[in-house]
Amino acid sequence: MKLATRISSAVLLISSSVAASPLPDFPFINVTGEAKLDVAPDKARIQFMIRHTAERADAATEAVYKQGRDLMQFLASVGVSEADIDAAQINKEALYKDYNDRAITGYEASQPITVTLNQLTHYIDVMDYLFKQENVFSINGSFDSSQREELETKLSQQAGEDARRRADRLAGAQGVKISTVFAITEAGGWGQLAGDFGFSGNAVSFGAMRGKAEMADSGANLVLPRHITLQKSVNVIYKIKP
């Protein structure tokens, strides 16, 4: 795992005594600290839609039922349990000749599915299966770490320490000292004072990719990320003293 810390922004402000000012009425420093960590993903979520159209509603619906049964059978063969499959209600829509002519020409049945893979062993196998199914659309895979909560707790602490170091350097350069913390936030904001205060959410960015070795000869282009990036930022206002 690769760890990097960065201070994204900092500003030294001395507030005025204007009654209508939203700023604190004492000298302060506002800093933003950030911590970032690259980790190998060990779980994934795959979202997709089973969809079929037919002239008759029963034919469209039955096709979705059959695709669902085939899907369940395949997922069971690669060790995915029913508890890790979330299927929404089947939806049916009428298809019309055009916008002005509302004569029904057919029906479309669809069902959103989410599959959680608690290990990545069969990720590419599952994606390959889905891409080859005629009635499966809008396939999207996202990656995560089972240690996210623990890692983000550490990143939050490191981001806070980063902010303190930056505040100490800025204060020292101006011949003043840090006193106490006036405000610290993980989310929200204080207008133009510090922009959007808070952690950068649970955003995940993707690093270099690798393919599945045994699929190289088939020309398949399915990939797994070598790492995902977890990131936290914290904004702090410190009181300063001469």
Side-chain angles (χ1 to χ4, degrees):
M1 295 187 292
K2 179 182 177 183
L3 176 65
T5 58
R6 177 173 64 86
I7 297 299
S8 58
S9 64
V11 60
L12 174 63
L13 300 173
I14 305 298
S15 64
S16 64
S17 57
V18 179
S21 173
L23 303 180
D25 59 356
F26 51 78
F28 66 92
I29 288 178
N30 167 224
V31 293
T32 300
E34 187 173 275
K36 184 168 61 175
L37 184 64
D38 291 343
V39 300
D42 59 8
K43 60 187 300 184
R45 173 175 291 184
I46 303 174
Q47 296 175 299
F48 54 92
M49 179 81 70
I50 297 176
R51 185 171 67 242
H52 188 80
T53 59
E55 291 184 1
R56 297 189 344 222
D58 59 345
T61 303
E62 182 56 39
V64 172
Y65 289 158
K66 182 181 185 305
Q67 184 69 68
R69 292 192 296 268
D70 292 345
L71 173 68
M72 293 293 288
Q73 183 176 0
F74 169 76
L75 291 175
S77 73
V78 294
V80 179
S81 68
E82 290 189 18
D84 294 323
I85 303 171
D86 185 15
Q89 178 68 38
I90 291 179
N91 183 54
K92 186 195 74 175
E93 298 286 348
L95 302 176
Y96 302 97
K97 185 175 182 179
D98 56 43
Y99 182 79
N100 294 315
D101 188 342
R102 306 304 285 171
I104 295 177
T105 60
Y107 296 88
E108 177 182 277
S110 61
Q111 184 176 35
I113 306 287
T114 299
V115 176
T116 299
L117 301 179
N118 293 310
Q119 56 182 355
L120 298 181
T121 306
H122 295 291
Y123 172 81
I124 290 180
D125 295 326
V126 173
M127 292 293 278
D128 184 58
Y129 172 87
L130 294 174
F131 280 120
K132 292 177 178 178
Q133 301 305 302
E134 295 182 355
N135 299 325
V136 175
F137 302 90
S138 304
I139 305 166
N140 177 61
S142 58
F143 301 90
D144 206 347
S145 170
S146 59
Q147 297 180 311
R148 173 182 285 276
E149 184 175 353
E150 176 184 349
L151 293 173
E152 287 189 338
T153 297
K154 293 179 180 178
L155 287 173
S156 298
Q157 179 181 354
Q158 291 164 358
E161 294 169 351
D162 216 14
R164 178 65 191 219
R165 285 192 296 269
R166 181 60 171 173
D168 284 336
R169 286 196 296 268
L170 286 177
Q174 300 300 320
V176 295
K177 295 182 179 180
I178 296 297
S179 176
T180 58
V181 174
F182 171 71
I184 182 170
T185 181
E186 298 180 359
W190 290 306
Q192 296 301 312
L193 173 61
D196 292 329
F197 273 58
F199 290 108
S200 52
N202 290 329
V204 177
S205 61
F206 294 90
M209 311 295 273
R210 68 176 185 270
K212 189 175 181 182
E214 53 267 37
M215 298 184 68
D217 294 337
S218 68
N221 195 32
L222 298 176
V223 292
L224 289 170
R226 293 187 185 277
H227 67 265
I228 57 177
T229 301
L230 305 182
Q231 182 174 304
K232 288 291 187 179
S233 63
V234 60
N235 286 265
V236 188
I237 292 179
Y238 294 96
K239 292 183 179 180
I240 59 175
K241 59 184 179 181

